[in-house]
Amino acid sequence: MKKKRILFTGGGTAGHVIVNLALIPVYQRDGWEIDYIGSKDGIEKKLIGKLEGVTYHPISTGKLRRYMSKENFKDPFKVLKGTMQAARIIGKRKPSIIFSKGGFVSVPVILAANLKRVPAVIHESDYTPGLANKIAIPFAKKVLATFPETMDFLPEKKTEYVGAVIREELFQGDKKKGLAFAGLTKEKPVLLIMGGSGGSRKINETVRESLPQLLDTLQIIHICGQGNVDSAITEKGYAQFEYINEELKDIFAASDYVLSRAGANAIFEFLALQIPMLLIPLSKQASRGDQIINARSFKEKQYAQVLEEEDLTRDSLVKELTKLKEKAPIIRDKMKEYKSEKARDRVIEILKEIQK
Ligand SMILES: CC(=O)N[C@H]1[C@@H](OP(=O)(O)OP(=O)(O)OC[C@H]2O[C@@H](n3ccc(=O)[nH]c3=O)[C@H](O)[C@@H]2O)O[C@H](CO)[C@@H](O)[C@@H]1O
């Protein structure tokens, strides 16, 4: 019998790839042929390009800007070119179903899926839908939401709330291995610092200025982003990494608290693993404000504490972390009420229902 084929897309930042990484192993296990359409040089190429049994197809992609800019005139041509490339790939590979995690590279793929009449499903991780998904949604068969509240922003008929799709291996971390990997001990609690998949300069700077105070009571694992490791800092109890792949599960297992940006995937991972979090959402100046809304929703549910970026100073950071430690038992109790195990299975069921 001919093998079934699925095509994934999504990229730009890790947040637009990770859900695909959570689903791909299931399809590998079931013997499906797997294709991935991503950009030529985005993080998706790094994370997916080397996976066994997955054929990676790079296409041209344009970042559509919401505001007038010279780039706007160039980009629609790139999107058109990308759509033609994606249509050619879809025509040749003939997938039964397409799954998109959003990001700009996914727009031409969904347009091409529509042209080629292959059903496409879009996943939205954030509380409010991003621009790429907003453009693509009319061309998709179904949209899946991570936050229940997102249903209010999406077309009722084709939307379903599924919850957060989390990589299975993250639940299999080993604290001892995590501590050993970071060169830390059991003596003091561990604070994990994650400035989003790309790191955050502002958070990095403030944390480093506060190190003497923080290291008094904590050990720190700092994921600071590509090119941001400061090798001049050699304090005991402070471990720095640009990005962590396979060992992330052990690092999570070793972490007692986390200080993080409020990217949707990351915060649902901390919730599912019950790691109390202090969130510093990306400001409105640097984004569409989606992280501020994600963070507020987590604060309302008492899963997180929030410190707005404009209030971030050495003092406020230390103060908020002290509060987080005090409140941690209450936060952990609240987190126990959240159940996420079913999300991935439901997504797979939906894809089965829709596939050609
Ligand atoms: C600047 C930007 O556009 N940010 C967006 C991006 O964030 P970003 O790309 O940071 O995405 P998320 O925080 O949602 O997810 C990051 C993912 O990368 C993983 N990870 C991170 C560091 C590391 O060393 N190893 C690793 O595996 C995390 O575990 C997580 O699964 O997508 C999110 C989901 O649409 C949005 O909410 C964010 O607003």
Side-chain angles (χ1 to χ4, degrees):
M1 206 178 74
K2 205 168 149 266
K3 278 189 179 176
K4 285 271 181 203
R5 185 180 290 276
I6 182 165
L7 189 146
F8 288 91
T9 187
T13 72
H16 292 113
V17 187
I18 292 295
V19 173
N20 294 335
L21 276 179
L23 294 172
I24 285 171
V26 179
Y27 286 90
Q28 283 171 323
R29 230 176 284 152
D30 292 350
W32 281 54
E33 306 273 5
I34 305 168
D35 291 292
Y36 199 106
I37 298 185
S39 65
K40 293 191 176 101
D41 47 11
I43 181 142
E44 61 274 23
K45 176 127 195 259
K46 252 197 205 151
L47 294 175
I48 302 283
K50 284 192 220 117
L51 287 186
E52 217 170 290
V54 182
T55 312
Y56 189 87
H57 309 269
I59 61 162
S60 156
T61 152
K63 187 168 167 70
L64 284 170
R65 282 165 188 78
R66 221 179 313 189
Y67 308 107
M68 278 308 282
S69 114
K70 260 196 260 162
E71 290 294 297
N72 260 341
F73 295 101
K74 271 196 249 156
D75 290 343
F77 292 109
K78 283 199 199 154
V79 176
L80 192 67
K81 189 174 164 204
T83 306
M84 278 153 48
Q85 290 171 323
R88 220 171 298 135
I89 296 160
I90 294 169
K92 216 160 130 197
R93 309 294 278 184
K94 299 193 178 20
S96 322
I97 183 92
I98 293 177
F99 182 83
S100 163
K101 193 33 222 90
F104 285 90
V105 71
S106 70
V107 175
V109 181
I110 300 297
L111 296 179
N114 196 258
L115 284 174
K116 292 287 179 187
R117 312 224 170 280
V118 178
V121 173
I122 290 179
H123 183 277
E124 176 55 69
S125 311
D126 288 296
Y127 191 105
T128 57
L131 182 58
N133 275 355
K134 271 194 192 152
I135 297 168
I137 283 167
F139 303 96
K141 263 263 180 308
K142 197 143 189 167
V143 193
L144 311 178
T146 305
F147 283 89
E149 298 88 341
T150 311
M151 304 290 286
D152 297 343
F153 302 92
L154 296 169
E156 203 183 324
K157 271 200 190 135
K158 54 163 112 169
T159 306
E160 184 172 327
Y161 160 68
V162 290
V165 180
I166 293 173
R167 287 169 285 176
E168 206 172 53
E169 70 265 21
L170 290 186
F171 296 96
Q172 283 133 31
D174 182 318
K175 182 174 176 150
K176 251 197 195 159
K177 281 190 193 159
L179 290 175
F181 179 72
L184 301 179
T185 65
K186 278 190 291 190
E187 262 131 58
K188 282 183 203 164
V190 172
L191 170 70
L192 171 66
I193 300 175
M194 235 167 83
S197 58
S200 156
R201 210 170 302 149
K202 177 88 193 276
I203 294 179
N204 291 352
E205 277 168 15
T206 318
V207 162
R208 284 170 179 154
E209 284 167 13
S210 326
L211 273 186
Q213 274 159 292
L214 297 177
L215 290 174
D216 250 1
T217 53
L218 292 164
Q219 303 179 90
I220 294 177
I221 300 176
H222 190 173
I223 306 182
C224 44
Q226 209 73 46
N228 294 332
V229 165
D230 184 344
S231 48
I233 307 176
T234 53
E235 251 96 333
K236 203 170 156 262
Y238 177 66
Q240 305 175 67
F241 302 93
E242 289 191 334
Y243 188 88
I244 302 179
N245 242 328
E246 287 93 61
E247 297 83 3
L248 193 69
K249 58 180 191 306
D250 301 326
I251 293 295
F252 279 175
S255 300
D256 299 279
Y257 315 100
V258 61
L259 164 68
S260 174
R261 281 291 191 206
N265 296 285
I267 63 176
F268 275 101
E269 288 165 4
F270 307 142
L271 171 58
L273 295 167
Q274 294 169 19
I275 314 175
M277 57 191 118
L278 172 61
L279 301 178
I280 305 179
L282 197 63
S283 72
K284 258 208 154 129
Q285 285 79 37
S287 71
R288 64 185 174 90
D290 51 320
Q291 292 199 4
I292 299 178
I293 305 171
N294 292 347
R296 267 192 210 140
S297 147
F298 265 46
K299 187 179 174 179
E300 268 164 31
K301 291 173 185 146
Q302 295 183 47
Y303 298 150
Q305 273 186 224
V306 179
L307 176 59
E308 302 285 350
E309 185 163 336
E310 56 265 35
D311 300 328
L312 173 62
T313 61
R314 217 162 50 181
D315 284 348
S316 66
L317 181 72
V318 173
K319 214 166 97 195
E320 288 300 318
L321 283 171
T322 311
K323 262 203 239 161
L324 180 71
K325 277 195 255 172
E326 287 162 11
K327 278 202 181 156
I330 302 170
I331 297 180
R332 277 194 206 99
D333 274 351
K334 277 279 162 201
M335 286 173 152
K336 282 183 191 136
E337 293 164 14
Y338 179 78
K339 300 268 175 286
S340 71
E341 309 84 47
K342 296 278 184 305
R344 197 185 62 166
D345 294 349
R346 180 62 196 137
V347 172
I348 287 163
E349 234 172 66
I350 292 168
L351 294 179
K352 266 195 194 134
E353 284 163 16
I354 292 180
Q355 79 197 33
K356 277 213 296 195

